[in-house]
Structure formats: structure tokens, C-alpha cells
Amino acid sequence: MTWDNARNACARMKTGAQMVSIKDSAKQEAVRRYLQHQFIKQESVVCISSQWPVGGKIAWLGGQASNPNQCGTPYFWKPVGTAEVPFNYNNWYPGMPNCARSAQNCAVIGSGNFLNYRWEDIDCDFLLCSVCEF
């Protein structure tokens, strides 16, 4: 699913459901443990199956650049139906977000030696799975 489709799919799962927002290190650790378990099992209700070309797997987070049509704008958590929340905590891979291509404005979390559950910015139109929370 694209980032927008994943965001909407999470919101449809249950009242109050959203793509995950990681606002502190405790939540980062909880999401890391959850994903590590799901990646090992190779199954998940949130469809953690997307292969990352450099090894490991990635999934959408609920973060997006404030202006997804313009690289370099600040990132916000963007829950459906409520106000955007600025990133006060982050776990970006060093040098990220980098807007390597003009459309890299959505946040993912990934496994493998490259990301090791840190965040990366990628094109919002990639077809990935998401992490939802209730």
C-alpha cells in the first residue's frame, strides 16, 4: 500500500486506530520488539512483508513531511481526523531524512544491518505495509 492508503487502512481497522507514532524511546523499543517478532515469524496482521533492496524489511510509520510535495520540510505524525504532531523524538538513520529523490517524504522503520530499526525517508508511493496502533 502507498503511505496514504496504509494510513486510511489503519484508520478503518477500528475506531481510533492509526499508523504508529513513535514519540519516545520507550515506544521505539516497543515497536522494535514487535517488528522483530513479526519479521522473524514472517506473518502479521499489519502485513509486514515488504522487502528492502539492501536487506531486511521495512514498514510505514505514521510520519510524513509537513508538505509532502516539497523536500526538506519538517516531519509530523499525521493521524487521521486529528491535528498533526511535530516530531519531538526521532530515531533517523544517520543522515536521514535526506530527500535523496524529490518524493522521499514519508517515514519507514526497518530491520537489517542497514537500518537496524532506525528510520528512513522514502517515496510515499512505494507499496509497503504499515504498523497500526489502537
Side-chain angles (χ1 to χ4, degrees), residues 65 71 75 97-106 120-124:
C71 262
Y75 271 70
N98 67 357
C99 267
R101 294 189 316 267
S102 62
Q104 288 188 314
N105 288 310
C106 289
E120 161 78 280
D121 62 326
I122 67 169
D123 186 327
C124 301

Side-chain angles (χ1 to χ4, degrees), residues 37 57 81 114-115:
H37 178 72
K57 296 182 180 190
F114 171 64
L115 289 176

Side-chain angles (χ1 to χ4, degrees), residues 3 62-78 84-90 92 96-99 104-107 119 121 124:
W3 187 90
Q64 186 182 52
S66 57
N67 181 350
N69 297 314
Q70 180 182 354
C71 262
T73 59
Y75 271 70
F76 286 81
W77 299 113
K78 296 190 173 185
E84 298 176 348
V85 177
F87 277 29
N88 292 319
Y89 167 85
N90 73 70
W92 292 110
M96 303 298 165
N98 67 357
C99 267
Q104 288 188 314
N105 288 310
C106 289
W119 310 348
D121 62 326
C124 301

Side-chain angles (χ1 to χ4, degrees), residues 1 3-4 9 14-15 18 25 35 52 61 72 78-79 85 89-90 99 106-110 113-114 118 125:
M1 292 181 273
W3 187 90
D4 283 323
K14 181 178 178 179
T15 302
Q18 303 290 339
S25 59
L35 288 175
W52 189 230
L61 294 174
K78 296 190 173 185
V85 177
Y89 167 85
N90 73 70
C99 267
C106 289
V108 296
I109 187 171
N113 293 332
F114 171 64
R118 288 171 291 189
D125 289 331

Side-chain angles (χ1 to χ4, degrees), residues 14-31:
K14 181 178 178 179
T15 302
Q18 303 290 339
M19 276 203 297
V20 71
S21 298
I22 301 176
K23 298 175 184 168
D24 57 40
S25 59
K27 183 73 164 279
Q28 171 70 31
E29 179 61 12
V31 171

